[in-house]
Amino acid sequence: MEIGRGKSGRRAYALDEIGIVPSRRTRDPEEVSISWQIDAYRFDSPLVASPMDSVVSPQTAIEIGRLGGLGVLDLEGLWTRYEDPAPLLEEVATLDRAAATARLQEIYTAPIKDELIGRRIEEIRAAGVTTAVRLSPQRTVQHHKAVIDAGVDIFVIRGTTVSAEHVSGRAEPLNLKQFIYELDVPVIVGGCATYTAALHLMRTGAAGVLVGFGGGASHTTRNVLGVVVPMATAISDVAAARRDYMDESGGRYVHVIADGGMGGSGDIAKAIACGADAVMVGSPLARASEAPGRGFHWGSEAHHPELPRGKRVEFGTIGTLREILHGPSSLADGSMNLLGALRRTMATAGYSDLKEFQRVEVVVAPPQR
């Protein structure tokens, strides 16, 4: 589309601008499988809890694992900076809105401690669930040894935008291909939002690629940096990169994980319909009574020391983690029983598993106001 005489742009679509089209058959929801497997790790659902202090603590990571999902602990968060972050989490929940960002920046100036990294990972591992943790590309080289020594199962390298060709004149950038090759654990890396960027990340040997810029409702990247790619188009483009990389690599499959913008159960279903294998969810889980944020939600972008690109958002509490994931729901807005809704969507459209459901027909459907 022509933006002006000197610039043109492609029309892109957000998840709330598309709709899922049922096929000629329907199924019982009980006959639908929503299980997902990445590398050697199998899960009862394709839901990954976003590595945010307001969502994932060691205890909630354990509970999410027991409920069939995967919780990712942020190793640059409060749990690896403080022995007991509970008083600080309580304080964050009481901060005045105008003072929240400045206070978050102060709280997160405390150094990350390798001994706490090991302790938190061991705590999750001891519960018998799959252990996943996150570091940013900037801190991966510094702290990855502590992560591997502690016996992590899945390593997530997550930033606002991660590329396989970062250029820096200040420090030696992370060589993703060499780094992933030398590790004995599967690595999920992202975010990215284009076909080309995703293809380059897949060539590093990553087991999974995160699509989107993370943060969802809590980030302000669009306002601060002007960077945005609507999720329906981004997921579809990265899914196309996955297909082409399979041909290029002789059959190696890289999982596509939609990260950001998963506000409710309908968004989760549409993300998978666009080609995602799993979704990374933040704000719906921040509403759980067990969530560390106590009804508030924020990500790592909110406390950046130089250019914050996120904010603390109040969502309140609506139910337990079990109710939000598996129901029963007492609300009609798609914020509870997320996985039950996904089963019902797939059953309504006539598909029996996630890979089949990726082939469902979608249409452009302007959002209802």
Side-chain angles (χ1 to χ4, degrees), residues 84-206:
D84 179 15
L88 292 170
L89 290 164
E90 292 177 5
E91 179 189 349
V92 171
T94 63
L95 290 174
D96 178 76
R97 181 179 300 179
T101 297
R103 180 57 182 147
L104 283 171
Q105 288 174 313
E106 292 175 1
I107 291 172
Y108 282 90
T109 57
I112 298 167
K113 302 178 178 68
D114 281 351
E115 62 269 23
L116 286 178
I117 289 178
R119 194 183 309 170
R120 304 310 185 197
I121 292 173
E122 290 167 7
E123 183 178 344
I124 300 171
R125 279 182 60 83
V129 301
T130 303
T131 306
V133 297
R134 171 263 179 186
L135 284 171
S136 65
Q138 295 84 356
R139 295 185 187 268
T140 293
V141 172
Q142 181 182 356
H143 297 293
H144 79 276
K145 189 176 186 303
V147 175
I148 300 303
D149 289 347
V152 74
D153 295 316
I154 298 176
F155 198 155
V156 179
I157 302 174
R158 179 180 185 257
T160 302
T161 305
V162 177
S163 75
E165 298 183 6
H166 181 67
V167 178
S168 175
R170 296 182 299 173
E172 184 68 24
L174 174 65
N175 184 327
L176 274 174
K177 188 170 186 177
Q178 179 181 345
F179 179 79
I180 292 173
Y181 177 79
E182 293 174 352
L183 290 183
D184 292 329
V185 300
V187 176
I188 297 172
V189 63
C192 68
T194 66
Y195 172 95
T196 302
L199 191 58
H200 282 223
L201 289 177
M202 291 172 185
R203 289 169 178 162
T204 66

